[in-house]
Amino acid sequence: MAASSSSLSFFSSTIFLISSSNKVPKPIQLAKPNSLINLPPKPLIVSSQLASPLPILSFTGEKIGETYLDLKSAAPDTARAVVHRALITDMQNKRRGTASTLTRGEVRGGGRKPYSQKKTGRARRGSNRTPLRPGGGVVFGPKPRDWSIKINKKEKRLAISTAVASAAAAENTIVVEEFDGKFEKPKTKEFIAAMRRWGLDPKQKATFLVMEVSENVEKSSRNIGTLKMLTPRTLNLFDILDAETLVLTPSTVDFLNGRYGVEFEGDGDEEEEEEEEEEEEGSEG
């Protein structure tokens, strides 16, 4: 199965299309104030079961079965806003906020007047640490601050499921059988050959989402600069949207349907998941 060359951007996915461009827009009609009370509420979450199944490829590249993704997805008129907000939150929470500069009151020196006020023919100067001189203080420079912002747990989960559903709808997602035991020793050449059998171009960005990464698989894929190997612990929105192809395994599909599916309502392991994400973000920073 050849991978599509289009980018895995949620702006181009069919899930986010509100209406067809061929339809003629209706004229705007002003509604009476009393009629707004009877308007039905808009759904914030809709089911996103894909009509076309995802083929499962063997390690040799042959089709051996089919599977489905049944994920929650944001409504078409709010999908972009939900994904954008979650992406900005992830990117901003990675900022350390340690940039710092010295003002003229914090720079060492400058206590003595460099020369007399008059009779020198030069401009008046009271200190060598003025912001107008090299080595002086910085005006309105950055100071350490906390850039982190918060997002609701359900909103963040909805953004990830919407992005994955968008990738699957755009036919930029493939499912391959479990390949942890296929590599007897670390070999980047063998991993690239497997990617080509799956229809992937090693020069294009690809994100692999697997349940566990064995040592041989990790060492075989870490030298490929366009490849990201993610697990449920390291799953993040940026790598999903940044990749041109999303590669899943059957166990990963079951995890996504259970964790981000329509029937999921639990909240039990959210705190543990957030702690793991914070530890990962700290190590990346």
Side-chain angles (χ1 to χ4, degrees), residues 137-170:
V138 179
V139 182
F140 304 123
K143 285 292 185 181
R145 58 167 295 183
D146 183 13
W147 289 94
S148 63
I149 54 179
K150 294 183 179 180
I151 187 173
N152 295 334
K153 299 175 184 177
K154 293 183 179 180
E155 187 178 3
K156 183 176 182 180
R157 192 188 310 123
L158 179 62
I160 293 179
S161 62
T162 302
V164 175
S166 171

Side-chain angles (χ1 to χ4, degrees), residues 27 29-30 34 40 70 115 129 144 154-155 158 160 196 200 211 214 218 221 224 232 238 259 270 274 276:
Q29 297 179 355
L30 297 179
N34 295 334
D70 188 10
Y115 46 83
R129 294 301 176 251
K154 293 183 179 180
E155 187 178 3
L158 179 62
I160 293 179
R196 296 186 185 278
L200 302 177
M211 297 304 295
S214 63
E218 179 184 3
S221 61
I224 306 176
F238 178 82
R259 186 68 178 83
E270 281 294 325
E274 285 188 352
E276 292 176 348

Side-chain angles (χ1 to χ4, degrees), residues 30-102:
L30 297 179
K32 297 181 180 180
N34 295 334
S35 64
L36 298 178
I37 303 177
N38 300 326
L39 292 178
K42 293 183 178 180
L44 298 179
I45 300 176
V46 295
S47 175
S48 176
Q49 184 174 8
L50 300 176
S52 58
L54 298 175
I56 302 177
L57 304 180
S58 64
F59 187 72
T60 58
E62 300 176 356
K63 182 178 178 181
I64 57 177
E66 294 179 347
T67 186
Y68 288 89
L69 274 176
D70 188 10
L71 306 178
K72 288 182 180 179
S73 179
D77 56 343
T78 61
R80 293 187 181 185
V82 170
V83 175
H84 178 265
R85 173 175 167 80
L87 182 62
I88 294 300
T89 301
D90 289 346
M91 298 298 294
Q92 191 160 330
N93 288 346
K94 291 182 180 180
R95 299 189 64 173
R96 289 188 175 185
T98 56
S100 181
T101 55
L102 300 179

